[in-house]
Amino acid sequence: MDDEAVLLVGHGSRREKSNEQVRRLAANLESRLGIPVDAGFLELAEPSIRDAIDGLAGSVSTVSVVHLSLFAASHVKNDVPAALARVREEHPELSVANGAHLGVHPALVDLLDDRAASVEAELGVDREDDDVTVVLCARGSSDPDANADVHKLARLLYEGRAFDRVDATFVGVTEPTLDETLHDVARHRPDGVVVLPYMLGDGVLTGRIHDGAAEFDADYPYVDAASGDPLGTDDRLLDVLGDRWQEARTDSVEMSCDTCKYKVELDGYEEDVGGARAMLRALTHQAAHEDRSDVADEPHVHDTPANHVAVCTNQTCAGNGSAKVLERFRQAVRDSEACDARVTRTSCLGPCGDGPNVAVYPDGVWYQGVAPDDADRIVSSHLDRDRIVSDLDTQLL
């Protein structure tokens, strides 16, 4: 294993305390595994995934990427794979294995059990003698597969333990919300309510969970309630990360493809099926974080550019000259004083024989057979004046 390293990928935050937590876990994992472990970030912090792997490329031949993500939503399924695809193109000599998210793991259930016991002690209740309800609160996602795993984790925490009930809930994006769940719990009049933030650190969302538990405790004097600590840097996280590393390096990663909204049609998510749309959303989301200034109030609200231009540089489009189209777009955007746009390369968008293909979002306009001179026209007409270049082959999505 002398020629192997691990990259621990965190989301990234403008709160340096959160980034330091990722770096601390990376250092602890290095001590556990006995091989180099570096930290990299998807956005908002340095080094980026690309820069981190650039730093490792000269000294090792194999890098196993391990995700410090609780569940598999768009970052795990789209954003990191897109970043790694670019890295593999730039470092063909390097073997880069992509691992899985933390997911549902016995060590995490054990850790949550201990967090609950600490809150019980604070409240002066005991699950063996009193009716104790646990409310497991996660962030919430637009990915049904990720939300389903929260419910699975809550059920595993309930199984074999003396809790009266364990409910899954969310602090945003989806339902049931924390407020709704707590008010429902109050109708059953338990002796104690333990609210567990299923978060890695003490960020804005964890603070909202603490506030929600405190407000509930004040509104319902006949029910004692308190919230616990997030996962932090507990050593049991290293148990999970170690397992995910072994899966990555042995090519035994298993993802829940049977319930992935990007691969199968699920009720209410039919339009999400298809890798091209998922990749475009991933690229747009990545660009959206760059100018964010309101992180203290809304940790996942974006100040986005007006437009995002994705130019396919996959094999067929590249053979038709898409690299020159990409550079022409970038130059035209730089020269324009009117447009607010980000231009990025993307892999296959689907209609390979009609390339080079260019997608303009959020308008959902795909241009086909784009030549370098067409890039100037798309910028001056579509991006500057919001007028589609109608004489080019287009699709509206």
Side-chain angles (χ1 to χ4, degrees), residues 250-268:
T250 57
D251 196 26
S252 55
V253 175
E254 293 185 2
M255 297 290 286
S256 49
C257 294
D258 290 344
T259 52
C260 176
K261 69 173 183 176
Y262 301 114
K263 296 183 179 296
V264 296
E265 287 193 4
L266 301 177
D267 288 347

Side-chain angles (χ1 to χ4, degrees), residues 57-110:
S59 57
V60 299
S61 62
T62 300
V63 175
S64 297
V65 174
V66 177
H67 297 252
L68 193 60
S69 295
L70 295 171
F71 299 110
S74 61
H75 287 317
V76 171
K77 294 177 179 178
N78 299 327
D79 300 340
V80 174
L84 295 183
R86 291 192 289 270
V87 165
R88 291 187 181 104
E89 289 181 355
E90 295 168 358
H91 295 285
E93 79 289 352
L94 191 64
S95 173
V96 180
N98 187 19
H101 54 293
L102 293 173
V104 179
H105 192 282
L108 295 174
V109 179
D110 184 59

Side-chain angles (χ1 to χ4, degrees), residues 12 63 120 159 172 174 245 350 377:
V63 175
E120 289 176 78
E159 292 286 349
T174 190
W245 165 67
R377 296 199 294 140

Side-chain angles (χ1 to χ4, degrees), residues 344-357:
T344 60
R345 67 177 71 229
T346 180
S347 59
C348 185
L349 293 175
C352 301
D354 300 321
N357 295 303

Side-chain angles (χ1 to χ4, degrees), residues 229-374:
D229 293 329
L231 302 181
T233 56
D234 191 281
D235 281 349
R236 279 165 286 195
L237 285 174
L238 303 181
D239 297 337
V240 188
L241 294 171
D243 284 350
R244 300 299 177 246
W245 165 67
Q246 285 286 6
E247 293 167 358
R249 65 193 296 267
T250 57
D251 196 26
S252 55
V253 175
E254 293 185 2
M255 297 290 286
S256 49
C257 294
D258 290 344
T259 52
C260 176
K261 69 173 183 176
Y262 301 114
K263 296 183 179 296
V264 296
E265 287 193 4
L266 301 177
D267 288 347
Y269 298 91
E270 293 86 354
E271 294 184 357
D272 289 335
V273 177
R277 291 187 181 88
M279 177 165 288
L280 286 170
R281 280 196 297 274
L283 291 169
T284 303
H285 183 270
Q286 184 176 3
H289 281 272
E290 293 192 347
D291 297 323
R292 223 158 36 111
S293 58
D294 53 358
V295 67
D297 300 319
E298 293 291 341
H300 229 74
V301 171
H302 315 304
D303 300 320
T304 63
N307 294 101
H308 189 98
V309 180
V311 181
C312 178
T313 57
N314 210 43
Q315 183 175 1
T316 305
C317 285
N320 290 330
S322 64
K324 292 182 179 179
V325 174
L326 174 68
E327 292 308 314
R328 194 69 165 264
F329 263 110
R330 287 174 170 168
Q331 186 62 52
V333 167
R334 286 194 294 266
D335 293 343
S336 172
E337 296 181 357
C339 80
D340 174 23
R342 179 177 175 84
V343 181
T344 60
R345 67 177 71 229
T346 180
S347 59
C348 185
L349 293 175
C352 301
D354 300 321
N357 295 303
V358 175
V360 178
Y361 274 75
D363 300 339
V365 177
W366 286 24
Y367 291 99
Q368 298 173 330
V370 179
D373 289 345
D374 296 328

